[in-house]
Structure formats: C-alpha cells, structure tokens
Amino acid sequence: MTAHRDLTQGRLLTVEEAAERLNTSVRFPRRLIEERRITFVHVGRKVRIPESALEAFIAAGVVHPITTQRGRAA
C-alpha cells in the first residue's frame, strides 16, 4: 500500500512537463505511456505522470562507469 500511496502523493506532471524534464520531445513520454513503461494516472480524460514515477524511471536508467585499478601488476 505504501508504494501506491507514494504515487498519489507529490506532483503530477503533464506529458509536456515530463518531456521537458527528460529533455526530449513530447512523443517520447507518450510512447512510454503507450508501452506501459512508466506509471501514469488518468485524471478525467487527461494523463499525468507522477513526479516520483519519472524520477524512478530516470534512476532505473542510470549506468555507472566501470572503474579499473591503474598500477603495475605484480
């Protein structure tokens, strides 16, 4: 129930606002919604993306760099 509550708390973003946050065209978040790759909310006939869902989507896509040890092999 807390996961559901987290999505109902906080700001709901329009598709345009989500696109701006992702620095993409509006088509990209619309495609994410269509493919059910991001959580969204119907508010009447409008579609909104919870800010927390957008942050989770971004966090899931983070790729950390590979770090190697520099030095001499013994």
Side-chain angles (χ1 to χ4, degrees), residues 28-40:
F28 181 66
R30 287 192 191 282
R31 193 174 79 219
L32 293 176
I33 291 167
E34 180 183 340
E35 295 173 357
R36 304 292 198 263
R37 292 174 50 201
I38 194 165
T39 302
F40 63 95

Side-chain angles (χ1 to χ4, degrees), residues 12-59:
L12 295 175
L13 304 173
T14 64
V15 174
E16 291 78 12
E17 290 171 328
E20 187 174 325
R21 289 275 302 273
L22 293 169
N23 197 27
T24 64
S25 68
V26 175
R27 185 175 179 194
F28 181 66
R30 287 192 191 282
R31 193 174 79 219
L32 293 176
I33 291 167
E34 180 183 340
E35 295 173 357
R36 304 292 198 263
R37 292 174 50 201
I38 194 165
T39 302
F40 63 95
V41 178
H42 275 119
V43 181
R45 294 179 62 190
K46 305 291 183 183
V47 173
R48 298 290 184 260
I49 300 171
E51 194 168 31
S52 59
L54 187 62
E55 290 169 5
F57 177 80
I58 293 168

